[in-house]
Amino acid sequence: MSESTEKSLVLVKPDGYRRGLSGEVLRRIEAKGYVPVALAVVTPTHEQLAEHYAEHEGKPFYEPLIEFMSSGPVTAIVIQGERCIEGFRALAGATDPTAALPGTIRGDLGRDWGLKVQQNIVHGSDSPESAAREIGIWFPNL
């Protein structure tokens, strides 16, 4: 792996999974040139989500986020590629689906749920450190 080759965690959130968008997200990841190296469909536990979102504990959106993320299955994917953390976040688009640009996952596939911005199809790691921590939570044997 070169210095710019990274791994990142991508989650197709429960709203995306329910709408059958896991395959479309994976298609866009592969079309961008990133390689999926691990994939699982899981219903996350409260403990798993508490560890994943620990940095947000105590914030007003924390409990609704945990409740939403535990509401059904998610597709967890580890991707690998040159600058894939930054690249996937650009591919995902702005957190708010209404503000996300056309051509991005959230811009093309996201719905406006008002204040429920966490229902935005996907999650992507935001740094190499976060990616390593998150991959360890979702794929402990990787």
Side-chain angles (χ1 to χ4, degrees):
M1 241 173 34
S2 73
E3 278 186 36
S4 60
T5 300
E6 304 170 319
K7 287 184 180 174
S8 183
L9 178 74
V10 172
L11 299 176
V12 179
K13 295 180 177 183
D15 58 328
Y17 184 87
R18 273 192 288 278
R19 292 179 52 210
L21 298 175
S22 296
E24 176 61 17
V25 171
L26 189 57
R27 185 196 68 75
R28 289 177 183 223
I29 287 168
E30 290 181 315
K32 183 78 173 167
Y34 304 136
V35 178
V37 296
L39 187 138
V41 174
V42 297
T43 301
T45 65
H46 187 276
E47 294 75 23
Q48 187 176 28
L49 293 168
E51 186 177 357
H52 181 93
Y53 291 112
E55 67 202 53
H56 300 302
E57 189 172 5
K59 295 178 182 173
F61 61 84
Y62 176 79
E63 286 301 328
L65 177 60
I66 298 293
E67 182 179 331
F68 162 64
M69 288 296 293
S70 62
S71 68
V74 303
T75 303
I77 311 162
V78 177
I79 63 171
Q80 182 174 303
E82 299 294 318
R83 297 174 58 199
C84 71
I85 294 170
E86 175 186 4
F88 178 77
R89 290 179 67 81
L91 184 63
T95 303
D96 179 347
T98 299
L101 294 174
T104 65
I105 293 168
R106 293 173 178 145
D108 292 349
L109 307 173
R111 293 181 173 169
D112 185 354
W113 298 105
L115 298 176
K116 298 180 180 181
V117 175
Q118 67 268 23
Q119 295 186 27
N120 60 8
I121 312 291
V122 292
H123 161 85
S125 302
D126 64 5
S127 69
E129 297 77 20
S130 290
R133 183 182 66 78
E134 292 171 357
I135 290 168
I137 293 167
W138 295 87
F139 294 93
N141 297 323
L142 190 61

